[in-house]
Structures are given as structure tokens and as C-alpha cells.
Amino acid sequence: MKTASRFLSLASVCLFAASASAQLAEEFHTWTNTSGKTVEATLISVDAVAKTLKIKTKDGREFDVAIATLSPADFEYAKGRYAAMQAAPAGAPAVAMPATPAGTPPATPPAATPKGGAKTAAVVKKPAPPRPAIAVVPLSKFKAPSANDYLSGVAKVRPRLIHNAAGWAALKGQIAVDPVLAKIMEAMKASGEDLLNDPELTRINGETGGEGPKAVYRMGLLGSLHFGDGELKWQERGARELIALTDKVTFRDWHPDLVDNLTDLVVATSLGYDWFRAGLNAEQAAVIRTYIAEKGIGALIAHLEGEEIPESAKGTSGGQTGTKSKAAPPKAQGKPQAKPDVGKLLPDSKQMAAASALLLSAICLVDEDPSIAKKAADAAAKVFGKGIVRFAPAGVWPEGLQAGETVMDYVAMLSESLKAASGRDLNISLLEGIPQFNTARMHMMGPSGQSFNFGDATSAASTRPWVATWLSGIAGNPGLRAVAAAGKQPVTAAYFGQVGNFIYYNPHAAGDGTADTMDYAQPGGFVATSRSGWEKTDFFVAVKGGENEDTTAQLDIGSFVMEAGGQRWGIELGAEMDKAPGFEVKPGADRTKRFALYLENTLGQNTLVIDGNQQELDAKAAVLLGASTPERGLAVVDMTKAYSKPAKDVHRGIMVVRGEKPYIVVQDDLIMKNTGNITWSMHTMAEITPSGTTAKLTLGGKTLVATIVSPASATFSAGVPPEPASEQSRDLVKANVHVLKASVDGAKGPQSLCITFALDEAPAHTATPVATWVSKK
């Protein structure tokens, strides 16, 4: 039998030897190795990394024995002995554990076994429990935590990241009584078996970084299996992955100039160190802590503070990130983003992720390396506290849903780790905007399953859906379908995936929720949506306000998307190619090059163009009002500051009229300061046939009729985006994108451009000022 297979076979019945052995009376056994030597001793523990057993003789001497040297009989005895250790009742913990994190499923008594054996009963859909009453912390009463706040009260026991021992135990206990959770575990185990047959993550010399997301997945999967399944093979593999990630041969550096990859490697290794610390000896643990501090924490701090990446974070061989090159002066190597204007600019999603990673690492290392933990927390606290408030008031992250989900993923890990380690999360999970994110996220998903991907979002789909599972445990299910088990994930998977649903599983996510309304429009928020229903073919429209001053913002205040009949008619074009000239703008840099790009300027958005781009680069726009009745849903966005030079009182209203024949209204009311031209635009994949005040759009066998209700002088036309400005820019012409335009030439004074959208035929609609859409009480 091969050594690896023998070890995994033995490990399959092991959990934590050290804790299990204390619960059984000593049992002495005569051990015989492959050389025929014998010794009478009792089994104490297993070293998951070294692949050895620790045994103790009657006179108290202890020996490490390689599993590979055991006789077949002793090997089978060891398996049986560990099975008994695992089944032994746990004793009282030596250290009192903090309260179980919020959202952790409570331990439930085993259900009665169905007649006819232990077959699992059929899974029956059930409604989610009533939403809990929570006390949201208003932004005005939130005080950003200090570094000491994050580190004080951290229990010096492991595990403490995301779950403590009690939290993992409760989650494991739930598997036996929850068929969905059991199926998720079954799929995770299948994924884990594939991972065991795959090499540990390594990186060849000079290879571009991209290991971080994979490392997060691997650590998340192996950690969940380690605590949720209990076989020692998961701990053994997790420790090996951790050692490989922090080995100066397999990873000479973590590509310190790539902040996204660096962030995820710090997260993955912090989780791994906390979860698999028992499988490491003192020397291995010291090497890993040093690597995390030098290659990860030091570089992330430099990114957040706009400083040079320290030499200790850089690789030492040819081709590695951060090494000197003849083509560029030394100071240009490994340099992070330009130093941010901390007095004005607010953290973006990348900075928030990096700050969260630093705080996780600080909580992880505070007892074993308090100096580096304090340094990490000091740098991160300054950023995290300023950034977390950006979800307020309505739960919408200004950079878009995809970026918001990214931030929330790291926020979830940090919040639950604080609860597990110290019993409180400093009001992070209840801060205004955080509980609302789940509701906003749900409403920003159209019937087609695509999200409202405004700004630089590169995908129209949800990228980290497990954040909804976590948030359901915080504020209840806002109307989402129950979490369902999926198939196994590939070894190349990135981030948590189904593992996230397991880690954050709770009764609210396990049942089907019911939405309170079909509309979402919170005054002061950035996004408003309305729909005719929750089925795939229903009507849907979403519109944004936003802040043009955001580093990653497009000039897209007022942009919208639209769906009907199972098709997305009005589309957001997303981001430009990342190598397009001027696309990536660093804090404090000249942004005019970015706004010369079609996809980033106002021409490339579904909004108004008056005298070119929205000229106020620091303009802000928010939802002014919203209303929802059985007959209709509506919202109004105040876009005045985005068009303050050519116009005033610029308001965009959206409305979905529900009923047997639903339709959508998009209406712009404004006052022109001087005579000028107004161009209304909507980008679409549909073929367009314009005819005066009517245009027919055809897509997927459906026909959408757009009608200009007012003014009478406005007309429709069809166009295409311009040819790409360079070979580095996206070619929208080849992508078959079209533009529906409505023009009001020579506009002067008050204007009201009202357009309706309906399937097959125009509705009978009378335009009224958006100021009158909601009656004054």
C-alpha cells in the first residue's frame, strides 16, 4: 500500500487526536514496524503534515512513528482506535468560547429515522422564517472602530476566523437534520476528493499572479470539510496547501503589485493558518507567519498608504515581480497606486478588500505576532471605517453590484470572525446600508437573472451569491429562493462558491422568502428599480444616480436598463478594455483621458446628452422619491448637478404600469438655460426600425414598441457606437450593439421628454410632470 493512500485511509477516521485522546482511557497496544521491532505503547496523536503517529510507552516516553512503517495489523488497529477517539464524548473546553456568531444554525436534536431505514426524506420547499427584528445602526451614530477595537478581546484559541469551535460544531450538527445542507456537504466532499488528487498550488518563475482566488476556494473547501466532515485527510491537505503557498521556492513572492491577487492570498493563508494550525509544528508555523507578514501584510499596507512596496515583499529571482529591470528605474518597480488623497477620496472596492484582509490577518496573528497584527490593524482601520459607510443609506455600493458583492464578501468574513473571536462585530453587520444590501441586490437583478451592471462592472451576473446567504442570517430573507445544493466544483474554482453557502448556512437562507414589494426606491439612494412581477417574462426597469467623482465612475448619471418578455432591451455596456488608453485612472490623476473613451463618457450611456459629456465631474445624483401601489411602481432621480451648466431642475422618472398589459415609462423633465439640443439614448442588442415618434425593436422573436409621448417635436433615430479609438478598445460595432436615440433640437425653457415601452403595441399613456407622479399629502 502506498504511503499517501495509507495515510489518507487512516486520516479518514480522524478528527483532532489531541482532543479525542483525552476522552478515552489509555489503551496500550504492542506495535510492530516493518522491520519486526516491537514496543508497547498507547496512541496519542497524528501529525497531519509529517504523516506520523505519536505513541507513549508505560514509562512516559513518547515516540513519533512514520505511518509508512506500520505493519498492516497495526495500521488497521490505528484506524479503529481513532474511530473510537472521534466517537468519544467531548469534555468541557479548557477556555470559555465566545458566543456563537449570528447566523450560525443552532444545534438541533436529530430527527426521527423514517420507517424503512435511514433513507433521507424528500426535500420539501418551505417558507423562510419571519424576518427578525433588528436595530439598524444609523450612519449618524456609527463611530469607525480603531485598530484596538478590532483586536481587543480576541480569544487566544483556535479556530476563531469566521467560526469558533462552537460555531463549527453547530454547523456540523445541522448536517444530520437538514437534507439540503447534507447534500451541500456531499457535493463538497466530492469536490474535496478531486482536490486531493490535484497538486498543491504553485507558481512557476515569472508567471502572472492569479492564484489568490483559487487559494481562497481551496482553503474554504478544505476548512469546511475539516470541521464539517471531520476526516483528518482534509486537515493534512489544508496544511500542505498552506505550506506550499508560503514556500519561497514555490512562491518566491505573491506578485505584490497585483493588489487583488495579493489580497486573496493574505485572506487564504490567514484562514488556513487559523484552521490548520493544529497540523503545523512550531517551525512550520513560524515560517508561515513570517511569510504572511513580509510578502502579504507589508505589501498591502503599502498599497493602502500609497507607499513603495517594501523590498521584503518582492521576489529574489529573475522574472519575479518587483525585481530590478534595465528598462525602468528602480523606483518604478512594484510601485502601488498613486498616493490617495485621504482627505477627499473614499475607499474603492479594491481598498476595502485589502483593508478587510489586513484585519483578518491581524485577528489571526494577534496572539502569536502582536506587533505585525497591530501594524496591519492600524493601516486597515483608517480605510475600512471610511469605506463601510458607503453602502448607506440604501444598500447600494457606488461602484456597482459586482463591486458591492466583492466588498460584502470580505465584510462577511470580517464580521463573523470578530463575532467568533470576541463575541461582537463592532456594529458592522447592522450598520445602515449593510442589512439593506440583500434587498437592494435582489431588486437589482432583472427577471432574466442579469443584474443592473452600471459603471465599470464587467459582468451582468451575480459573482458572489453566498453573500446573500450571510445577509439572510443577519436581517432575514427579503424574498430570495432557498439555497439549493449544486454539483461538485472544479479544482480550478475561485472564491467560496457553494462553500460560502455552507459556511453561512442559516434557516432564513434555507427557506423561500417573500418580497414585500416589486419596487425599490429609497430617497437618498443611488439606484431605483420597478417591475411588473417576479417571473422571467415580466417588465423591469432600473435607473441610477451616483457620484461622478468616484475614481472608477463613468459619466453615467441617469443611465438605466430595461427588460420585458424575457429579453433585456436596454443594456449597460460595462467597462472598457483594461488596456485601453486612459481607462485605468489612479487617485489624483487627470481623468480626461478616461472620459474620451466611448464606454466611459456620457455618449456610451443610456442617459441624456446635452452639449456633450456630463461636465460636472464631481456631480452627485440620488433618488428623490419613490412610490409603490398594486397598479404601478415609480421613482424619480434628481440629475440636476450632472447637467448644471446647460440646464436646471433635471429629473428622470421611471415607472412600470402593472396590469394585464404592462408597460414602462422613462420621462425626463428639465429646464434649459439656453437654446440647445437634447439627445436621449438607449443601447440595445435589438434591431431598430425608427419611424418618427415610434420605433420598433426586435430581439429573440419579440417586438418592443417605443413611443415618444412628448414633446411632439421629438423624433427617433437609430445608430451604432463609433469605431474603437484604438486596438486596445472594445469594438461595439462587431458586437452588434445598436443605439436608439430620441432628439429634441432647438430645445429652450421647460422640456418634458416622455417615452413609453410595451410589447407589440403602444399603450395609451398621458404624460404628466414627474413632480405630480406622487400626490402631496
Side-chain angles (χ1 to χ4, degrees):
M1 183 181 294
K2 295 182 179 179
T3 301
S5 61
R6 284 168 61 85
F7 178 77
L8 292 179
S9 177
L10 175 58
S12 67
V13 295
C14 303
L15 187 57
F16 278 112
S19 60
S21 60
Q23 307 307 317
L24 291 179
E26 288 185 339
E27 179 179 280
F28 287 91
H29 171 77
T30 300
W31 301 83
T32 305
N33 67 12
T34 52
S35 300
K37 294 183 178 181
T38 62
V39 63
E40 189 177 12
T42 185
L43 186 58
I44 297 176
S45 64
V46 170
D47 187 322
V49 175
K51 301 182 177 64
T52 60
L53 302 179
K54 184 179 290 295
I55 59 176
K56 183 175 70 173
T57 62
K58 289 184 177 180
D59 60 4
R61 292 178 297 160
E62 295 184 357
F63 300 92
D64 290 328
V65 180
I67 292 175
T69 65
L70 294 177
S71 68
D74 286 348
F75 182 80
E76 293 302 320
Y77 169 78
K79 288 175 61 178
R81 179 63 176 170
Y82 267 101
M85 288 178 174
Q86 186 174 357
V95 181
M97 299 298 293
T100 302
T104 300
T108 307
T113 302
K115 292 182 179 180
K119 294 181 179 179
T120 302
V123 177
V124 179
K125 289 282 187 178
K126 60 180 181 180
R131 286 171 228 157
I134 61 173
V136 174
V137 178
L139 198 60
S140 60
K141 295 186 177 181
F142 177 73
K143 181 181 179 181
S146 68
N148 289 335
D149 292 330
Y150 289 108
L151 298 181
S152 64
V154 172
K156 296 180 180 180
V157 293
R158 298 190 189 279
R160 60 173 177 257
L161 293 187
I162 300 184
H163 287 301
N164 54 31
W168 283 116
L171 189 57
K172 182 178 181 180
Q174 193 75 0
I175 297 171
V177 297
D178 191 312
V180 175
L181 196 59
K183 286 188 175 182
I184 292 176
M185 173 55 70
E186 182 181 345
M188 286 168 48
K189 288 171 70 174
S191 301
E193 293 295 339
D194 287 348
L195 184 57
L196 292 179
N197 294 320
D198 193 63
E200 292 85 4
L201 280 179
T202 59
R203 192 189 72 220
I204 63 173
N205 187 31
E207 182 181 341
T208 300
E211 308 86 6
K214 296 178 183 178
V216 171
Y217 165 69
R218 287 171 175 245
M219 288 303 177
L221 175 63
L222 291 168
S224 295
L225 290 172
H226 169 49
F227 293 112
D229 177 53
E231 294 192 22
L232 195 62
K233 62 185 178 183
W234 309 123
Q235 182 195 19
E236 187 270 343
R237 181 53 185 265
R240 281 168 46 195
E241 292 276 348
L242 181 61
I243 290 170
L245 287 170
T246 54
D247 182 83
K248 290 185 179 180
V249 175
T250 56
F251 281 89
R252 292 185 176 88
D253 69 13
W254 278 345
H255 285 298
D257 54 334
L258 303 177
V259 66
D260 291 346
N261 190 60
L262 180 64
T263 293
D264 290 326
L265 284 168
V266 170
V267 167
T269 51
S270 297
L271 294 176
Y273 188 85
D274 180 63
W275 294 345
F276 304 122
R277 178 64 178 86
L280 305 170
N281 60 39
E283 182 180 357
Q284 292 164 337
V287 169
I288 291 168
R289 289 197 304 271
T290 300
Y291 197 101
I292 294 173
E294 292 182 352
K295 305 296 185 182
I297 292 174
L300 279 186
I301 291 174
H303 275 285
L304 291 187
E305 297 182 348
E307 302 292 349
E308 291 282 346
I309 292 173
E311 290 298 320
S312 59
K314 302 174 184 177
T316 56
S317 66
Q320 291 298 306
T321 301
T323 55
K324 293 183 179 181
S325 167
K326 295 180 180 179
K331 287 187 178 180
Q333 300 300 318
K335 190 173 182 179
Q337 296 181 18
K339 193 164 186 175
D341 181 355
V342 295
K344 180 181 179 182
L345 297 177
L346 294 173
D348 61 19
S349 58
K350 294 178 184 290
Q351 293 166 322
M352 283 296 290
S356 301
L358 285 172
L359 290 170
L360 281 171
S361 68
I363 295 169
C364 176
L365 300 177
V366 64
D367 52 339
E368 294 186 76
D369 197 338
S371 176
I372 191 63
K374 182 64 163 57
K375 186 177 180 181
D378 281 340
K382 299 172 186 176
V383 173
F384 190 87
K386 289 177 63 177
I388 193 65
V389 300
R390 303 195 73 193
F391 284 101
V396 178
W397 184 257
E399 294 177 277
L401 182 57
Q402 185 182 49
E405 282 190 330
T406 297
V407 175
M408 197 62 72
D409 188 17
Y410 300 102
V411 169
M413 286 188 275
L414 176 60
S415 170
E416 292 305 312
S417 296
L418 284 167
K419 293 174 188 175
S422 60
R424 81 283 189 273
D425 79 339
L426 308 173
N427 287 326
I428 290 172
S429 60
L430 294 178
L431 175 63
E432 180 183 359
I434 303 298
Q436 293 95 323
F437 180 81
N438 216 13
T439 303
R441 174 187 175 278
M442 176 185 73
H443 282 279
M444 288 169 66
M445 301 292 247
S448 67
Q450 300 177 79
S451 70
F452 181 16
N453 60 316
F454 60 82
D456 275 350
T458 57
S459 171
S462 172
T463 57
R464 307 190 193 210
W466 56 91
V467 301
T469 301
W470 175 65
L471 285 165
S472 291
I474 301 297
N477 191 323
L480 302 169
R481 291 182 179 177
V483 169
K488 66 179 181 179
Q489 293 177 254
V491 294
T492 56
Y495 302 112
F496 279 162
Q498 186 164 212
V499 173
N501 286 330
F502 174 80
I503 289 175
Y504 300 126
Y505 196 78
N506 61 82
H508 296 277
D512 290 319
T514 302
D516 294 330
T517 175
M518 289 182 281
D519 313 296
Y520 191 74
Q522 183 171 338
F526 287 148
V527 172
T529 74
S530 185
R531 67 185 72 217
S532 63
W534 294 98
E535 299 303 320
K536 186 175 181 179
T537 57
D538 284 325
F539 283 65
F540 169 79
V541 62
V543 65
K544 75 173 292 287
E547 298 182 355
N548 283 348
E549 68 177 355
D550 269 339
T551 304
T552 59
Q554 298 175 345
L555 297 181
D556 62 352
I557 286 176
S559 195
F560 68 93
V561 295
M562 178 189 305
E563 294 186 19
Q567 303 293 330
R568 176 158 286 195
W569 301 93
I571 64 171
E572 264 283 346
L573 299 176
E576 184 51 270
M577 300 285 285
D578 59 2
K579 295 186 183 298
F583 168 68
E584 184 179 2
V585 178
K586 298 176 181 179
D590 180 7
R591 303 171 71 198
T592 56
K593 291 183 179 179
R594 175 183 177 90
F595 297 137
L597 299 168
Y598 182 80
L599 272 79
E600 303 300 314
N601 65 34
T602 308
L603 296 174
Q605 317 303 323
N606 299 338
T607 191
L608 298 178
V609 175
I610 309 174
D611 296 339
N613 277 334
Q614 294 174 354
Q615 296 173 359
E616 297 296 337
L617 300 187
D618 60 350
K620 298 181 181 181
V623 175
L624 192 62
L625 58 87
S628 181
T629 68
E631 294 77 26
R632 64 179 185 169
L634 61 88
V636 177
V637 174
D638 184 355
M639 307 191 298
T640 301
K641 291 184 179 178
Y643 298 94
S644 61
K645 291 184 179 180
K648 62 180 181 179
D649 298 336
V650 186
H651 297 146
R652 166 159 282 186
I654 59 164
M655 181 190 301
V656 171
V657 179
R658 298 186 263 264
E660 185 177 347
K661 292 185 177 182
Y663 63 93
I664 291 171
V665 180
V666 177
Q667 182 170 320
D668 295 303
D669 289 357
L670 65 152
I671 300 174
M672 295 289 290
K673 293 181 177 179
N674 300 294
T675 302
N677 299 326
I678 303 172
T679 301
W680 178 103
S681 298
M682 184 182 83
H683 293 77
T684 182
M685 299 300 294
E687 296 292 332
I688 304 171
T689 305
S691 179
T693 58
T694 300
K696 290 188 177 181
L697 288 71
T698 56
L699 180 66
K702 302 286 184 178
T703 300
L704 185 74
V705 178
T707 306
I708 298 174
V709 179
S710 69
S713 60
T715 58
F716 277 127
S717 63
V720 294
E723 295 285 345
S726 74
E727 61 182 15
Q728 302 286 0
S729 301
R730 281 176 57 192
D731 192 337
L732 301 175
V733 177
K734 289 184 178 179
N736 205 35
V737 174
H738 303 92
V739 188
L740 175 65
K741 296 183 178 182
S743 300
V744 182
D745 296 332
K748 185 177 182 180
Q751 300 291 321
S752 182
L753 178 56
C754 177
I755 303 175
T756 62
F757 301 86
L759 291 175
D760 299 327
E761 60 181 18
H765 180 80
T766 301
T768 58
V770 294
T772 66
W773 282 10
V774 176
S775 59
K776 296 181 180 180
K777 295 182 180 179

